[in-house]
Each structure stands twice: as structure tokens, then as C-alpha cells.
Amino acid sequence: MTFIFWAIALYLLYRFIFGFVIPVITASRQVRSRMQQMQEQMNQQFQQQQQQDQQEQPYTRSTPRSTGKGSSAGGDYIDFEEVK
């Protein structure tokens, strides 16, 4: 009688471990590794975007800005003076 009880208990323990515990562990490992991969991809994309922004900034900021009267770059514009 005790042999049958232990056999059933071991069978149920076996089914519990291989039917529930091990699949949960493998799934959690897969999810963790996928999350790390996604995080690495996001960091790479962010770094690439930062590099592109840094490369574009010198071109946009190096254009001369006209300050003051009569400082037009090519003489295309004439300062407006109000006539009374």
C-alpha cells in the first residue's frame, strides 16, 4: 500500500515539475533575453539618432544670422525706412 502511495506521489511530483515548473522557468528566461535584446536595440537606435543629430547640428548652426541694420549677406534686401 505504501509503495502505491509513493509511486503516485512521485508521478504527480514528476508531472508538476516537468509540466509546470520547467516550462515556466524556460519561458521566463526567454522573456528576459528578449527584453534585453529589445533594450539593446533601443539603445543602439538612440545612439544612432544622437550621432545623426550631432552631425546635422554644425550645418544648421553655422549659417550666418543677420543682426543689425544693413547687414544683408548678398545685398538682396534693402532696409526699410518709414517716409513721413
Side-chain angles (χ1 to χ4, degrees):
M1 185 74 174
T2 59
F3 176 74
I4 295 173
F5 172 74
W6 284 110
I8 292 173
L10 285 175
Y11 174 74
L12 292 174
L13 183 65
Y14 171 81
R15 293 279 296 176
F16 176 73
I17 290 173
F18 287 99
F20 180 73
V21 175
I22 291 177
V24 167
I25 291 172
T26 56
S28 65
R29 285 182 184 167
Q30 286 179 351
V31 167
R32 188 178 303 127
S33 68
R34 296 284 167 93
M35 288 292 287
Q36 287 176 349
Q37 288 176 355
M38 287 175 46
Q39 213 167 23
E40 289 173 3
Q41 287 178 352
M42 291 289 288
N43 287 336
Q44 288 176 354
Q45 289 176 354
F46 179 73
Q47 288 173 356
Q48 288 175 355
Q49 185 67 31
Q50 290 292 340
Q51 289 174 356
Q52 287 177 355
D53 288 346
Q54 288 176 358
Q55 289 174 356
E56 291 174 1
Q57 281 179 354
Y59 299 117
T60 58
R61 290 189 178 179
S62 66
T63 58
R65 295 181 181 171
S66 62
T67 56
K69 285 188 171 183
S71 62
S72 61
D76 294 335
Y77 299 102
I78 301 172
D79 290 336
F80 174 77
E81 294 182 15
E82 186 174 337
V83 179
K84 293 183 180 179

